[in-house]
Amino acid sequence: MRIGGLASGIDTESIIKDLMQAERIPLNKLEQDKTKLEWQRDAFRDVNKLLSELDNMMLDMKLSSTYNSKLISSTQSDAVKATANAGASNGTYSINVSQLATSAINVSEGEVEYDPNKTLHEQGITEDVVFTTYDKDGNAQTPPHTYKVEEGDTLKDLMKKVNDDKESPIRMSYDETANKLIMETTRTGEYNASEDGSEISFANDSEFAQKFKLSTENETGGENAKFTYNNAYETESRDNQYSLNGVTFQFYDTTDGNATLTVNNDVDGSVENIMKFVDKYNEIVETINGSQQEEKYRDFPPLTEEQKKEMTEREIELWEEKAKSGLLKGESSLSNGLFNMRESWYSTVNGDGAFKSLTEIGITTSTNYMDGGKLVVDESSLREAITDDPESVQKLFSNSSEGDDRGLINRLENAVESTMGQISQRAGNVTDTSLDSYTLGKRMKDIDSRITNFERRLEQTEARYWRQFSEMERAISMMNQQSSMLMSNFGSGMAQG
């Protein structure tokens, strides 16, 4: 703590504070320059975030399902539904489900005499628990599923061994209320085609099966789904689904006679997908084009902390709105990137599809030059093109070849990724931890170094001011002492005279 002005009566601290404010003016300018670079970096990254979102959407724009997705209706949707890939033929399908696929299950016959608090050994089960299941070809799994009964193991321990076994399609549980053991397959369908048809087979002398009253005759389920396709083709499936001609039928219940499923192109879904992409593209155009049209207010630099203390929140908001205006104006990476993106849409696609340009499917660029090349969609024309020839619409947008038949989305992707790369070189990425990895970061690092050096010089300057004022105070104090001494001597001499 420093106290000045004791001899002179001067408010030394206030004077030095004012002097240091003047000395800090260059430092304030450096800090404002750094803040502006940070704003500019963040603005660049905001643009790159939008471009990245568009880049991610381009993957969907290359898929046939975007242009040729299917809409399927069912007259018995509670029993049969279906999904279809882009190559599935439109039309109607008749399905009659007479039986669902079920899991095999075996439950104890009657109540079991078992104490869950005692070990298996204490209740007469000392042999390994062994049972057999069957593979997809109907053959018995070899070796059979074997679980060693250790001394001290309870039924709960055994159930954990069985249920944790990834090689076994069996789940085991115990109903303590009814005192019954439950064993069931985790898959549906018939795998054992032998005479007994058991999906979970124990040896006749199995201690475990006898103790828990599990007999082969008591097992139920393990059946295949049975259905008739288009009144002619009868078949079975181990699962409650079946695929034919690109259509996957899902069975939920048996049908009441025939269920009719109708497959059509999902034109609404395709149009919606394309419109979402166009909207995102237009958002980017508006952002980049707007950044090039913003006015720069050079008389509104970033505010210092001292300046903010003297302003209201609203005043700060209005000031910074002008201070941030035009941050990206004149940036060639953005203006060139926008030009290249626009150029990709104007290209002609000389492929084997029916459409060669966007205008043929109802998509044009805005006639207002202030829009910066936004896309305008005539939905009725786009809908008509997708209805009549979805494959040609896809070929117009997506084709990865490098020739004249390269798709518009693929050309746009090149422009977008090139622009993102240039922005990353200029402003880096959110994950960058070093300022040295991008141009603006290097400039910020240089300013940080200059700020550090300037702050060191300010400390030295302030210390010098305090030394100078301290010397002045010391000189004044000495003069005061000498004056007092002289006055004392003169006073003493006059009294003696």
Side-chain angles (χ1 to χ4, degrees):
M1 181 177 178
R2 289 165 168 165
I3 300 175
L6 293 178
S8 65
I10 297 173
D11 188 354
T12 306
E13 185 173 0
S14 295
I15 293 174
I16 293 178
K17 183 178 179 181
D18 291 339
L19 289 170
M20 291 307 300
Q21 282 182 347
E23 296 282 355
R24 284 184 62 88
I25 290 176
L27 178 62
N28 292 338
K29 180 65 169 60
L30 286 174
E31 291 175 341
Q32 288 172 322
D33 289 344
K34 181 185 176 183
T35 298
K36 199 156 190 176
L37 287 175
E38 289 173 342
W39 287 350
Q40 193 174 30
R41 177 199 61 190
D42 294 343
F44 267 123
R45 290 181 178 180
D46 287 342
V47 173
N48 240 11
K49 182 181 177 183
L50 289 175
L51 289 171
S52 178
E53 291 170 358
L54 184 72
D55 193 41
N56 291 335
M57 293 177 72
M58 279 191 264
L59 176 61
D60 290 336
M61 291 295 289
K62 297 177 184 178
L63 302 177
S64 58
S65 57
T66 298
Y67 312 93
N68 200 17
S69 58
K70 301 297 181 179
L71 190 63
I72 303 178
S73 60
S74 172
T75 58
Q76 296 186 45
S77 59
D78 56 339
V80 184
K81 292 182 180 179
T83 57
N85 61 36
S89 301
N90 292 345
T92 58
Y93 300 82
S94 177
I95 297 290
N96 187 332
V97 182
S98 58
Q99 178 176 292
L100 291 179
T102 58
S103 300
I105 184 168
N106 199 336
V107 182
S108 302
E109 291 182 285
E111 190 170 339
V112 176
E113 294 181 6
Y114 171 75
D115 186 347
N117 297 315
K118 292 184 178 180
T119 67
L120 293 172
H121 276 209
E122 290 174 329
Q123 299 181 77
I125 302 173
T126 58
E127 298 177 348
D128 293 348
V129 174
V130 181
F131 57 83
T132 301
T133 59
Y134 300 82
D135 62 22
K136 60 185 179 61
D137 297 320
N139 300 317
Q141 295 274 184
T142 53
H145 306 289
T146 303
Y147 305 93
K148 189 171 182 60
V149 178
E150 307 278 358
E151 188 172 352
D153 279 355
T154 63
L155 177 60
K156 185 176 180 181
D157 296 322
L158 175 64
M159 289 192 296
K160 184 174 186 345
K161 292 178 182 179
V162 173
N163 296 338
D164 287 350
D165 185 0
K166 292 181 170 55
E167 302 298 321
S168 170
I170 302 301
R171 179 171 58 233
M172 183 186 291
S173 57
Y174 186 76
D175 184 349
E176 294 186 7
T177 303
N179 288 328
K180 291 186 177 184
L181 185 77
I182 302 167
M183 292 188 71
E184 56 188 325
T185 57
T186 56
R187 64 192 181 189
T188 59
E190 179 183 323
Y191 287 80
N192 181 9
S194 65
E195 186 176 343
D196 68 35
S198 172
E199 300 293 330
I200 313 169
S201 300
F202 285 93
N204 291 332
D205 59 350
S206 167
E207 288 180 351
F208 184 81
Q210 292 176 9
K211 175 68 176 180
F212 289 96
K213 301 180 180 180
L214 298 171
S215 66
T216 300
E217 295 76 12
N218 195 47
E219 183 182 291
T220 60
E223 297 178 330
N224 292 338
K226 296 181 179 180
F227 66 98
T228 303
Y229 173 76
N230 281 350
N231 295 313
Y233 178 51
E234 295 183 9
T235 189
E236 298 183 12
S237 171
R238 284 173 173 161
D239 302 313
N240 283 309
Q241 66 176 35
Y242 202 82
S243 296
L244 280 170
N245 300 324
V247 180
T248 300
F249 301 95
Q250 186 72 44
F251 310 137
Y252 298 96
D253 201 350
T254 56
T255 57
D256 183 10
N258 285 338
T260 301
L261 293 93
T262 304
V263 180
N264 288 309
N265 288 337
D266 184 9
V267 177
D268 288 340
S270 298
V271 170
E272 183 180 354
N273 290 333
I274 294 173
M275 289 300 298
K276 284 181 180 178
F277 183 82
V278 169
D279 288 342
K280 176 58 68 175
Y281 174 80
N282 285 343
E283 180 185 355
I284 291 171
V285 171
E286 184 175 350
T287 299
I288 296 179
N289 190 49
S291 72
Q292 302 307 295
Q293 295 177 356
E294 285 181 347
E295 184 176 349
K296 282 189 177 182
Y297 296 94
R298 302 186 185 279
D299 295 333
F300 287 81
L303 294 169
T304 65
E305 292 302 318
E306 292 297 323
Q307 289 171 328
K308 288 181 180 180
K309 291 177 183 178
E310 300 174 0
M311 301 171 69
T312 64
E313 288 187 10
R314 180 58 178 163
E315 287 173 337
I316 295 172
E317 181 183 344
L318 292 174
W319 182 283
E320 290 193 343
E321 185 178 318
K322 288 185 183 265
K324 291 180 179 181
S325 179
L327 284 172
L328 303 180
K329 189 171 185 177
E331 290 289 342
S332 59
S333 59
L334 297 182
S335 56
N336 292 341
L338 184 58
F339 175 81
N340 292 335
M341 285 189 283
R342 285 197 300 257
E343 191 72 13
S344 64
W345 291 123
Y346 301 146
S347 306
T348 299
V349 178
N350 295 316
D352 58 357
F355 307 116
K356 307 299 181 184
S357 66
L358 274 181
T359 56
E360 295 179 47
I361 63 171
I363 303 179
T364 58
T365 51
S366 172
T367 56
N368 185 352
Y369 78 95
M370 294 294 289
D371 286 341
K374 284 185 179 180
L375 297 180
V376 179
V377 181
D378 180 347
E379 277 198 44
S380 61
S381 297
L382 177 60
R383 188 179 299 276
E384 182 180 348
I386 293 174
T387 302
D388 293 343
D389 195 349
E391 186 177 351
S392 288
V393 175
Q394 181 188 356
K395 288 180 178 179
L396 174 66
F397 279 107
S398 177
N399 189 343
S400 60
S401 69
E402 295 296 333
D404 291 341
D405 59 343
R406 187 168 178 78
L408 298 179
I409 290 296
N410 300 83
R411 300 180 191 191
L412 177 67
E413 184 176 42
N414 292 345
V416 168
E417 291 182 352
S418 173
T419 304
M420 289 175 65
Q422 292 180 50
I423 291 176
S424 294
Q425 290 179 358
R426 186 97 167 96
N429 301 306
V430 177
T431 55
D432 287 336
T433 57
S434 171
L435 294 176
D436 289 323
S437 59
Y438 55 98
T439 305
L440 292 178
K442 292 176 181 177
R443 291 174 59 186
M444 284 188 283
K445 184 177 180 180
D446 177 64
I447 290 177
D448 282 337
S449 177
R450 291 163 63 189
I451 287 175
T452 300
N453 292 334
F454 201 93
E455 286 176 337
R456 190 181 301 115
R457 289 199 298 272
L458 285 179
E459 290 176 1
Q460 294 170 352
T461 300
E462 185 175 7
R464 176 169 55 82
Y465 281 141
W466 276 105
R467 285 197 304 271
Q468 289 173 339
F469 275 95
S470 295
E471 288 298 325
M472 182 191 73
E473 290 290 331
R474 188 177 298 108
I476 293 175
S477 178
M478 290 178 62
M479 288 176 61
N480 288 340
Q481 290 175 3
Q482 291 173 357
S483 176
S484 296
M485 187 183 303
L486 289 172
M487 291 297 294
S488 176
N489 291 333
F490 282 128
S492 175
M494 291 175 64
Q496 291 177 1

